[in-house]
Amino acid sequence: MRFERLRPRVWAPAVLVAAASLTATTLTTQAGATGNPGTPATRIAPGVEDDGADCAVQDPGSLTANSKLPDPFTRLNGTRITTKSDWRCRRAEIKKLAEKYVYGEKHAKPASVTGTVSNTNITVNVSDQGKSSSFSAKVELPSGSGPFPAVVVVGGFGADTATIKASGAAVISYDPLAVGREGTPRNNKQGAYYSIYGSQSSTGVLMAWAWGVSRIIDVIEQSGGNILKADAMGVTGCSRYGKGAFAIGAFDQRIALTMPIESGTAGAPILRGIPGESGSQPLSSAYSEQPWLGDAFGSFTGNPTTLPLDTHEIVAMVAPRGLFIMENPHIDWLGAKSGSVAALGGAEVYKALGAGANITYWSDIQDGNHCAVRPEWKTPLQQNIQKFLLKTGNTAGTIRISSKKPGNLAEWRTWTTPTLADQPGGE
């Protein structure tokens, strides 16, 4: 049974339910100085797509089976990071592993990126390696005077756009299929990304979509900031586009707030958990349904235990930036139990960086319709926009896991979370 093409339904105010009345496993991170995304130990250089691009990353060598989640705090050379500043180059290692084994390579900023930003539209023109491509995105501004923060809505399905605009952020409607088309064979990929880097590129379309959003941000940066603010960008998407939003936010550190919804297999849920989670979309199915994942992942669809990383580390790649993961435990296909484990595992990195208040996970919902606009998510959506895009709030993130699909991180890890020192490391 497939759920990827279902349309979202409109939220009816009559189904509002007080959060306090919901049954769930609830853990709330503590507010305070450690939740400030601008603390020196966790600050990211402004306007940098990949802050660890200068880090030397070794090849992991031969892969060995590990049924548990890899330790996000242990480098490829076997040593553990000890300071918060060490995370920059440890993240670079995880990024390279994710590209090599899961998503495929995300090419860096092309030789030329030009375009325009208006009140209604963004155009992007890219040239690299002697080839060119173009695409565009629709813009909807909120009321008031700009410049405005903005949320990229992937494929038209994501967090409630009415709430986004009412909160004071613009909506950028991004057509990812113009950049990485679905319905194509792996040896003949199509779209703006593949027009430049080749139809036989081993990069999956999720990473192509991520590359496209990065180029949109390039154009916004160049526009002078009169309409949209490049330093206050968010991204959201649901279902297949939730998979895309997850990758987009993980691989561009200019994105201040990442909000994947019901992303399912090839999204947030841990890859090691999918084979044992009843009813979830099998890895082989997600790999073959569309060329979402990189070609190299085909070697792991039967047994993900030899992967040198898992999605809890993709969650951690977003740290210390804002992350709001929304999941649906009522549809088995979506693998929400494995998703909660990914969030819990990634949250350990957030905590170690002193940014535990910057991650929210919410699967405690009463309505199981796929990609619905939900009353349970409205307030945390507003709070995250205020905190990370408008920079007017400081509400602590919440981990709220449905009792229908509760994951247990203790079953999946053999590592402990270190206390990372504040002083600079030796990177």
Side-chain angles (χ1 to χ4, degrees):
M1 188 174 186
R2 293 176 57 216
F3 296 90
E4 293 296 339
R5 297 192 183 277
L6 295 181
R7 300 269 177 178
R9 65 179 186 84
V10 176
W11 161 55
V15 299
L16 274 169
V17 179
S21 67
L22 301 176
T23 301
T25 302
T26 305
L27 299 172
T28 304
T29 56
Q30 298 300 308
T34 57
N36 183 348
T39 53
T42 57
R43 184 182 295 131
I44 295 166
V48 176
E49 179 179 347
D50 178 16
D51 187 40
D54 63 329
C55 296
V57 178
Q58 68 183 64
D59 190 279
S62 59
L63 304 180
T64 58
N66 177 10
S67 61
K68 304 294 186 181
L69 295 180
D71 180 0
F73 301 101
T74 295
R75 301 182 181 93
L76 292 176
N77 66 10
T79 64
R80 293 196 101 201
I81 64 173
T82 58
T83 68
K84 292 174 183 177
S85 60
D86 287 342
W87 176 250
R88 186 176 73 90
C89 286
R90 173 59 186 141
R91 180 189 177 278
E93 290 186 336
I94 294 169
K95 176 182 179 288
K96 292 297 185 183
L97 293 176
E99 288 181 309
K100 182 171 183 176
Y101 297 108
V102 179
Y103 294 101
E105 181 185 3
K106 180 187 179 187
H107 281 270
K109 184 177 179 179
S112 173
V113 181
T114 62
T116 60
V117 178
S118 74
N119 290 350
T120 59
N121 197 60
I122 297 172
T123 63
V124 180
N125 307 300
V126 179
S127 296
D128 201 20
Q129 302 181 9
K131 298 180 180 179
S132 300
S133 63
S134 300
F135 57 96
S136 63
K138 178 183 176 183
V139 175
E140 298 174 66
L141 299 181
S143 60
S145 56
F148 299 101
V151 177
V152 176
V153 180
V154 183
F157 299 119
D160 179 23
T161 55
T163 298
I164 293 171
K165 289 195 292 183
S167 299
V171 169
I172 299 173
S173 297
Y174 170 55
D175 177 11
L177 304 184
V179 180
R181 193 170 302 156
E182 293 186 330
T184 61
R186 288 187 172 274
N187 62 357
N188 189 25
K189 300 185 182 82
Q190 302 294 315
Y193 180 89
Y194 302 103
S195 295
I196 294 178
Y197 301 113
S199 61
Q200 297 190 44
S201 166
S202 61
T203 297
V205 297
L206 297 180
M207 192 64 96
W209 297 353
W211 175 90
V213 171
S214 292
R215 308 296 66 90
I216 288 174
I217 298 174
D218 291 342
V219 171
I220 295 172
E221 284 182 331
Q222 297 166 16
S223 70
N226 295 324
I227 299 172
L228 301 176
K229 300 170 68 174
D231 64 347
M233 296 292 300
V235 65
T236 188
C238 187
S239 198
R240 66 204 326 107
Y241 301 135
K243 306 180 202 301
F246 185 53
I248 290 163
F251 286 88
D252 194 324
Q253 291 176 285
R254 295 172 296 182
I255 293 173
L257 176 59
T258 301
M259 299 183 288
I261 304 173
E262 302 181 37
S263 57
T265 306
I270 57 167
L271 301 165
R272 282 166 170 78
I274 291 297
E277 183 167 352
S278 177
S280 61
Q281 183 177 21
L283 298 176
S284 58
S285 171
Y287 180 77
S288 61
E289 181 179 342
Q290 298 289 346
W292 291 321
L293 297 168
D295 293 358
F297 188 75
S299 301
F300 302 95
T301 57
N303 181 9
T305 61
T306 53
L307 278 169
L309 79 161
D310 214 312
T311 58
H312 67 302
E313 292 170 296
I314 311 299
V315 170
M317 283 179 62
V318 183
R321 295 170 290 134
L323 178 60
F324 178 20
I325 300 174
M326 292 159 269
E327 284 198 310
N328 183 348
H330 301 281
I331 299 175
D332 291 342
W333 189 252
L334 298 173
K337 182 176 182 180
S338 295
S340 69
V341 175
L344 292 169
E348 293 302 301
V349 175
Y350 270 84
K351 293 173 188 175
L353 293 176
N358 290 355
I359 180 172
T360 291
Y361 175 91
W362 201 303
S363 63
D364 181 21
I365 56 173
Q366 290 198 343
D367 181 349
N369 287 307
H370 190 39
C371 291
V373 175
R374 307 185 190 284
E376 297 95 333
W377 294 340
K378 183 173 184 177
T379 296
L381 172 60
Q382 293 170 323
Q383 292 170 339
N384 274 278
I385 290 172
Q386 290 165 357
K387 182 174 181 178
F388 296 104
L389 301 187
L390 300 174
K391 301 177 176 64
T392 59
N394 197 33
T395 303
T398 298
I399 305 294
R400 185 152 183 159
I401 301 172
S402 169
S403 58
K404 288 182 65 70
K405 293 279 185 177
N408 184 353
L409 179 61
E411 296 176 355
W412 286 99
R413 68 165 172 172
T414 56
W415 43 270
T416 58
T417 301
T419 299
L420 300 180
D422 288 331
Q423 68 264 26
E427 299 290 1

